[in-house]
Amino acid sequence: MATRLNMLLLNLQLISTCSVFVLPSAHSVHFQIPSFAPNDNRILYQGDAIPSNGVVEFNDITKNYRVGWASYADHVPLWNSKPGKLSDFTTRFSLRINIPNSTTYGHGFCFFLAPVGSLIPPNSAAGLLGLFNTTNGVSALGQVVFVEFDTYENQWDPSGVGNHVGINNNSLTSSNYTSWNASVHKGDTADVLISYAATTKDLRVSWSYRETNNPGENSSLSYQIDLMKALPERVMVGFSGSIGFGGAREQHILQSWEFNSTLEQESNNSTSRKTKIVIGVLIPVVVLIAVAIMAYMIFQRRKRKTETAANNLTSINDDLERGAGPRRFSYSELVTATNNFSEDRKLGEGGFGAVYRGYLPDLDLVIAVKRISKGSKQGKREYVTEVKTISQLRHRNLVQLIGWCHERSELLLIYEFLPNGSLDSHLFGKRAPLSWAVRGKSEMGLVEWVWGLYGKEELLSAVDKKLNKDVVEKEVEHLMIVGLWCAHPDSGLRPSIRQVIQVLNFEAPKPNLPMKMPVPTYLAPTPSTTSISFRIPSFDSHDKSILYQGDAKPVNGVVEFNDISKNYRVGWATYADYVPLWNSKTGQLSDFTTRFSLSINIRNVSAGYGHGFSFFLAPAGSTMPPNSAGAFLGLFNTTSAVSAPGQVVSVEFDTYEDSWDPKGIGSHVGIDINSLTSANYTAWNASIHNGDTADVLISYNATTKNLRASWSYQNTNDSKEIPSLSYQLDLMEALPEWVTVGFSGSIGLATEQHVLRSWEFNSTLDLEAETKSSTTARKSKIVLGILVPVVVLLTAIIIPYIIFQRRKRAAALNLSSMNDDIEIEAAVAPRGKSEMGLVGWVWDLYGKEELLSAVDEKLNKIVVEKEVEHLMIVGLWCAHPDSDLRPSIKQVIQVLNFEAPKPNLPTKMPVPTYLAATPSTTSISFQIPRFASHDDSILYQGDAKPVNGVIEFNDISKRYRVGWATYANYIPLWNPKTGQLSDFTTRFSFSINIQNVSDDYGHGFSFFLAPVGSLIPPNSGGPLLGLFNTTNGVSALGQVVLVEFDTYRDSLDPRGIGSHVGIDINSLTSVNYTSWNASFHNSDTADVLISYNATTKNLRASWSYQNTNDPQEVSSLSYQIDLMEALPEWVMVGFSGSIGVATEQHILRSWDFSSTLDLEPPETKSRSTATARKTKIVIGTLVPVGVLLTTAILAYIIFWRRKRNTAAESNLMNDDLELGAGPRRFSYGELVSATNNFSQDRKLGEGGFGAVYKGYLPDLDLMIAVKRISKGSKQGKKEYVTEVKTIGQLRHRNLVQLIGWCHERSELLLIYEFMPNGSLDSHLFGKRTPLSWAVSEMGLVEWVWDLYGKEELLSAVDKKLNKEVVEKEVEHLMMVGLWCAHPDSDLRPSIRQVIQVLNFEAPKPNLPTKMPVPTYLAPTPSTTSSEPLLTNSSLDVGR
């Protein structure tokens, strides 16, 4: 026995010693394959490609539309992200293309580099070269670079070139190409060399033929490309061969291949194991042995007592570990969940290891288990880091880490299972690329595609077809045009929020966008002029160069500015593009000249008239201010001499004398500088010129700074009248760099019509060419500007879906335990103690018509009741349990703005009965009489789509097409625990419309059951029925059972039968079948019943036709099969329609399905049973003989040392995980030290639960708040555990963060982050001063504004910055902050104005010295006019 032990120890020492040394490896890739053997696992084959006689044959030329791939099995590192190093590579291969018919052949052969794990896309044969499945120039693989030998000219190929060799970057259109005569070289072997130089970024290809070289033919090609930008860090390399239809077929043969790359990557050094066991204990005397045994027994007794005393704490730790973020799982749990990591549960495999699908019955949760392979570079350190990092992340768009396991030398991570994969798996991974319905069939991105449709006036064709045109076309059109406006490549031409809302509410016209998406050539301008010049002799309603606001509109070639049937109206007409006025870099100021023809038609000269017409220059993007009619000329909404747009220069033709106008002058022409009071003016008799046309010239000389206006009338010139005016003004000081130019017409009580008849404008500003650095900076801004709207658009689509799925899953959980939660009851009790929580309580008040009683009494009724009522009803509407009945953003805004009535909600909160399934059964039942485009219960793949209430499966304008329609949820077929198998029954109505009965037709329609998550296999069209991609009788899906309605007889079909109905078990050959006359039933509807009896194992199909039943035709079929052996536990069910050369349309009209599988609820285990299953070590053997005692003790010491070392290693890992995985456990001693032994001077407050103390943790350099629960508190251990479990999982910047917990020495302690100013709830519900309706009287904004008025703004800067700031920048930043927080939202700046001020391109805003009081909510009648006071229906001043 001792000899065996010594040998064992020696082996362990040798193993541990050897395992310390792991040599770093380098990963340049090199292989040479002179001949391809069938058993060579270095090459992976897809599609038709097979090794044959030492070469690779890529296509089965007996068939049409075929693809084959041959790729290297290992990944190739292309570049290294850390040092930014890019690899050189060289590849040589010998290729032969055999063309059977030199007159018609096609389509081509490619060498490609693509993302790791790429698969052949479906429908990618012929001209799509096996790499694309659309012709829009975007690869289905996401990113691909390839060299093509193209033997057929398609519409995207170089025109007139014919066959060619090309280098392509993620597109079917070659970036560079040369002509190549495929027919001359047919059958000859080409030796090809492709190389890439990382230094010069040059990709080069050259080729030569062994027998048919042509000296006159170009045989090389190159293209400069940065592969770090074009491809991911690791790629797969290989070849694709594609053929098309009929005579356009050819055989592609690869004869040899070698590859070399130069990128070296060092692998991580394995950390040496500190697990060296040294045993050298010898016990010479039996007495000493007895003493050792006695000492051990005493130790065990003491240990047992300690464990008993710590029992309660252990249970609490277990609870906390389960609740506070990710938890530890046992290896046996995961073995059970994944069926011992069986192959059928494997979701995927990579360099790190494999991922398996599993199910945890105690949590009723489907999981994904990442099993790190022992040969992976991801070691224990990376494993711990991954847990620590990901466990701290909480976001609805991130896959959630549920737990971990590190037992039996395994490293396992448990994530939530995503049945449809994540977005990145579709964009960059192995899953099928996003389809047209998601990608939008974009040629140059979503925005470019939509813009192209806008230019073609086909914008509505971009609307999702699933909506069945159930939209208001005008609303959709406005919404999409506004989206394009917001995504304009030039950020200066994008709208403000106000403009967006006005257009969406039809308060302003649609923007005038160019027909094509602008190319941002302004990024690299030549030193040419950007002067603006336009001439508009007549105004057409279709002319998009003019934007109209308010009443202004084009009528019969002129612009009418006001609706004179009403009082106090304004209209604006402005040039659609912004005008550059000066250049901040060069200091150059623009000259400009504008001419326009104007008439003012006064309706009643004797009754008075007013108010005026203006030409103005204002900040780019300005909009008409509210309350700006009458004397305010549409430019001001106060009389404080400050314009509402912020800065404005205008020339006014004023027809009414107001208090700020020149005294005794009457109507006048004036030049106004950001004020209603003219800087210079002259008298002007408006009544004399009534109805006559004035020709006006306004010019500005940048050298003399002179602004001049002159005018003359066509019929009523007055020699006594001065018809000109000028004023010296530096426009660089008065206006921003870019401006809007246009006209404003305003009327009051008395009305007049302002008519603009023509307009021309010229400016002369030259902008110098930008430097390289500034060009790069502007490129970055433009790229960000384009990305942000697109990301927002995608987020707006993805986030609601994720929220819906999470809420649906969460609502299905049993909520009864939450009713016992003391903290939730305590929070809800003041609000009505409703069991349904806050929403249920408010909804109950709504039903009792007591909604306003929910308003916080501390507000002292300082609220507008109507506003609060609308707000709370909208809140209930948004919280409706049925998400389909919740409002859109537009509906919310309309109700809150009183533009739409309040929603009519039920008086009681609806109970989500759709979640409350019967407790035991998981049977599936659904009935779909009609297929709607917005019905999410059906998933479509390939060509299948809903059309007018039915599903059409194939695009019959093309050949070899497949379509799938499957039920969105998975179907439980049998129960592995009980061995129970489900009965099921399905009924459906379908028809097959054969295009030409006289010709061959085919190929067929099938109902199938297949493994969960199956996708359409590539190359599965025609007789493969969309379910197979080989003819060897094995399905590409792994396991499939189907009932086929086959309209074409193939070699695997029953001989002499023709079209037939068959039952197929994972094979194209039917296990049972009957003849069926497809042509006789052409276009007639068949009602089909398919049923399965789990007792008799009988699968039966029967069918009847509505019009063409044939009594002599057999119309039923059955087969005995055990589906537990044929199919997995969970399946997907659906239909597949497939066509070949001859076409037919398969149409599904209705479908219902029901199954009967009852799954027993998870077994409840009693505490005693659970305890009995734990491992118990019982040692009580007394050894009478010394030799036996020695042997037992040695064996125990060996076992104990191993266990201790393993446990120590595991505990170290657990400590790391616990430190990183959310809140952590603190010792009592740490908290005593942090709080100065919970001294009174550290106490922050006290309540019924206990006290809160301020503390400091020096090792974390962190201020904390320690909640010390008093022993007399009602909050016991259960509530303490619940609080940690609940709050520990929350991560949000607006929530106080739980840092940790402690439960030692009979104390219950919770550690939170310290908030020096208190939390928001202490102001709303606690002892602190309540926040008023206007938030506070002297809050942060008011305090800063007060400092601004005292000219002490910089005193608000944080002193911790030690004045290490640029005072000018800080001052501008803080003033912009005040500007953005202006109580009157109409006076807040646009994004463009903010950026200009922060970039010092515009002056600081002129703010009042005191924060304005929002008296505009309840205005008193103004007396600033000589006119009588007006009623509430009019304005305060003027007419």
Side-chain angles (χ1 to χ4, degrees), residues 627 637 1413-1422 1430-1432 1434-1437:
N627 299 327
N637 58 6
V1413 179
T1415 53
Y1416 51 83
L1417 292 178
T1420 58
S1422 174
L1430 305 178
T1431 64
N1432 290 335
S1434 62
L1435 290 183
D1436 297 335
V1437 293

Side-chain angles (χ1 to χ4, degrees), residues 1120-1195:
Q1120 199 168 32
I1121 175 176
D1122 187 350
L1123 292 184
M1124 288 181 69
E1125 297 178 357
L1127 289 169
E1129 183 180 350
W1130 290 78
V1131 294
M1132 61 187 289
V1133 296
F1135 302 89
S1136 174
S1138 171
I1139 60 175
V1141 175
T1143 59
E1144 61 194 19
Q1145 184 55 276
H1146 307 108
I1147 297 175
L1148 184 66
R1149 302 185 181 278
S1150 65
W1151 184 22
D1152 66 78
F1153 183 96
S1154 61
S1155 68
T1156 62
L1157 182 61
D1158 291 333
L1159 292 182
E1160 295 181 358
E1163 296 178 2
T1164 57
K1165 301 180 179 70
S1166 66
R1167 182 177 299 181
S1168 60
T1169 305
T1171 305
R1173 295 186 64 181
K1174 294 181 179 178
T1175 306
K1176 295 181 179 180
I1177 302 175
V1178 179
I1179 302 176
T1181 304
L1182 297 176
V1183 184
V1185 183
V1187 176
L1188 293 177
L1189 282 174
T1190 304
T1191 304
I1193 291 174
L1194 282 173

Side-chain angles (χ1 to χ4, degrees), residues 40-55:
D40 188 346
N41 56 12
R42 292 177 295 173
I43 301 297
L44 299 179
Y45 300 97
Q46 294 184 48
D48 284 354
I50 54 173
S52 175
N53 300 322
V55 301

Side-chain angles (χ1 to χ4, degrees), residues 144-214:
V144 65
V145 173
F146 61 99
V147 176
E148 63 169 333
F149 290 78
D150 195 333
T151 61
Y152 189 89
E153 183 177 336
N154 297 97
Q155 68 267 25
W156 51 81
D157 289 328
S159 180
V161 174
N163 315 143
H164 66 281
V165 179
I167 297 175
N168 298 37
N169 180 14
N170 203 35
S171 171
L172 284 168
T173 303
S174 298
S175 301
N176 197 12
Y177 62 87
T178 184
S179 177
W180 165 68
N181 195 331
S183 61
V184 170
H185 303 297
K186 66 177 181 180
D188 194 5
T189 298
D191 296 314
V192 183
L193 169 64
I194 299 175
S195 61
Y196 180 73
T199 306
T200 61
K201 307 289 192 296
D202 190 59
L203 179 63
R204 181 175 181 82
V205 56
S206 60
W207 61 95
S208 64
Y209 282 90
R210 295 178 182 177
E211 298 175 2
T212 58
N213 256 344
N214 182 2

Side-chain angles (χ1 to χ4, degrees), residues 634-668:
L635 300 172
F636 299 77
N637 58 6
T638 66
T639 58
S640 63
V642 179
S643 167
Q647 298 163 285
V648 66
V649 172
S650 61
V651 176
E652 62 168 335
F653 292 79
D654 195 335
T655 62
Y656 188 88
E657 183 179 332
D658 294 287
S659 57
W660 50 79
D661 289 330
K663 297 290 183 184
I665 296 294
S667 52
H668 67 282

